[in-house]
Amino acid sequence: MPGCGIDAELEHVVEKIAPWLGSDPLGGLWWRQRDGTLHEIHMAAQADAPATVCEVPQAAVLHDAERIVFGRSWLYSARGNQIARHDAASLQPDAEFTFDGTVLDIASDADDGLMVLLRHDTPPPVAFSLQRLCASGKLLPPRPLPAALHPSRLTYLAHTACTVALSADGAQIGFIDAEGNCDIRALASLLSADGNFCAKWIESDRLDRFVLLGKDGGGRTQCVVCDARGDVIASVNADGAHAAVIAGDMLYWLSDAALLRLAQATNGGDASADGAGGSGGVHGQYLTPLMQSPRKASESGWLRAHIEAMLPAGATMHVTVLRCDDDEAAAASRDIAVDQSLTPAQRITALTTLQGWRSAATYDFGGSQQDSSATKAQIYDIPLFDDDAPWCRLLLELAAAPLSDLPRLESCTVLYPNISLMQYLPAMFKGGGVAENRPGGDDPFLRTLVGVWESQTQGLDRAISQSGARVHPDTAPAVWLDFLARKLGCPWHNSLPEAAKRRILQAADALAQARGTRYSLALLLQALLPDIRYEVIDVAVDYGLATLGGIGRHGVVAGSSLPTLLSGLPPDAARLSRKAVLGVMRLGGSDGSSGPASDAYQRFLGQIKIILHTVRNPLLADVLPSLLTSIVPAGVVACIEWHAEPRAWQLDSGLQLDDPSPGRLNQSLRLNRSTLSGKRKRQLPTGGLLPGFHLS
């Protein structure tokens, strides 16, 4: 591991040790000797635990197994085209599974099942597939693998649900996701750009790290630890090793003479930053996409970059500005950025060292020691106007101190073209350079000074640009709603729910125009109770005195309001005679101004009744009277009634009619013994039910 020493201990020496090594979900380590005996080390992931070696009782089925995998409850062994399953505690056989192909390798799926790598020789050509054996014994359909990979070994990363397969020649690895997509990457440049690494072993742990064991260009055996993306975490010389496993902070490998354990090097109690799985400093990189500022008189040049990040105490941020003047070099960088055969770290290295790109400037920022517990992100401004190259990238490197909080990058915004306050300075300050759109102008110091001024006023500009959203009912903060309602004169109470407040503000204009009318009251009730049925009754208008004929409002002849009760002669005397003259008595007359629209905007007269068909809401019942007082005319009395909706009865098959009196409704429905049939139409007979019958 680069930068960390090798603390190797000879844990157990045997005369003939087989190149097979594996771990179980409980943190134990297993290996098999050439004579077929199994050995185990308990708590192999803990450095302070005693390295006690236990010999496992002989199991004949495991002697010639080509691959052994331990799960929580099962132990799997592969041989030929079969996989045998045993009880993990007693090693008693449980079941056998036969596959349509040769089993090349198996790996635990972290759910007590297996990922199985198969080779199919018939029909030609040779094909490879990946099949899952569930813990219940169910075999999922196999998924074909690219023939170009030619896999021979595999391991499974549980957290990312990704299978990593190693090719037979050791020159490639393939990342197979849950959908079966495969990304093939070359291992030649895994350790260095001009290296020639070739792997022969792969194994993973419970933290989605995997170990590659192979030889580099110089013929030396290297043990490489990678993360889930394939980036190298650490590497160490492992001469003579046949197999390797990582467990916690410990790295184990098998040689011809011994099982060796490597612990992470320490220095004064602080873990090294380069140790595999250590608690040292954490580093991260972010490279922005390719950005272009076209070479045009009105659009060229760069302004600055706003980086929003949180840097705790001890954290640092290093920003490198990369520039490019060559269009071909820019196109080449775009191709490297989408090359899936390289790991993210390799792509960043290739982009930063690509010919035609240069490092124009670097900036360093550190976390505050005084406010180490702050969680609010800060704005860091990077000037970009000092170079007019059309292509640009930013490389951001974040680092955290050991045992400290991690830094966090929130956003990165790049502003261009080069339009700033320099455009508004008098001509004597601009100079010819600014007039010709040269970013620095004739006076770079003045341009830098104006840039500092601009960056300090960004908070004011941002607040001004967002001020419109603060007074809109859809986007205003919750604390602003009460202020807006007071300014607009809306019927209001601070204890209303936020959703109801926003609906009232959205209808503020209509409420102000129709204040005191039935329409305004309807808007208010819809805002407070949008899903509730209600009734509004104006007693003086809806239940007024019935008059026959007479002069109405504005001198118009108006009739009586219907429905109403007319008293007089009995019904058999209602006929045309001397007592009933046409043209003198008119019922239900109306003028041209009446109608639904005019009724909605008619002002309330004396007393109104509001019937809410819902269960009484204690909070709304307390504030609703004050809201009605502000929306109805002065002197109008509002009475509120809460009526819970009655239970709705549905006529269906099985609904019985029960009544003590004998009788029959029709041929198929009898009292006390018949039910409503629901085969065709679920309805009562056409004649209806007689009075006195009840539905039960």
Side-chain angles (χ1 to χ4, degrees), residues 547-571:
T547 59
L548 299 179
I551 304 299
R553 299 177 59 186
H554 308 293
V556 179
V557 177
S560 65
S561 298
L562 293 180
T564 186
L565 179 64
L566 297 180
S567 61
L569 296 176

Side-chain angles (χ1 to χ4, degrees), residues 521-523 525-526 529 532-536 610-613:
L521 181 57
L523 290 177
L525 294 177
Q526 290 173 4
L529 301 168
I532 302 303
R533 187 170 64 91
Y534 61 88
E535 298 180 37
V536 178
I610 302 173
I611 303 175
L612 303 176
H613 295 274

Side-chain angles (χ1 to χ4, degrees), residues 472-496:
H472 194 280
D474 295 338
T475 58
V479 296
W480 276 65
L481 298 179
D482 298 336
F483 169 76
L484 293 177
R486 299 292 187 267
K487 289 295 183 182
L488 297 177
C490 297
W492 199 257
H493 198 280
N494 293 345
S495 62
L496 291 175

Side-chain angles (χ1 to χ4, degrees), residues 78-96:
R79 183 177 62 254
N81 65 339
Q82 291 185 339
I83 292 179
R85 187 172 70 180
H86 313 265
D87 182 75
S90 62
L91 299 184
Q92 295 297 319
D94 176 77
E96 288 191 358

Side-chain angles (χ1 to χ4, degrees), residues 161 207 245 249-250 258 324 363 412 422 427 482 528 545 550 581 656 678:
L207 301 178
V245 169
D249 294 339
M250 314 302 294
C324 179
Y363 302 91
C412 179
M422 288 290 293
D482 298 336
L528 297 175
L545 298 177
V581 182
Q656 296 183 356

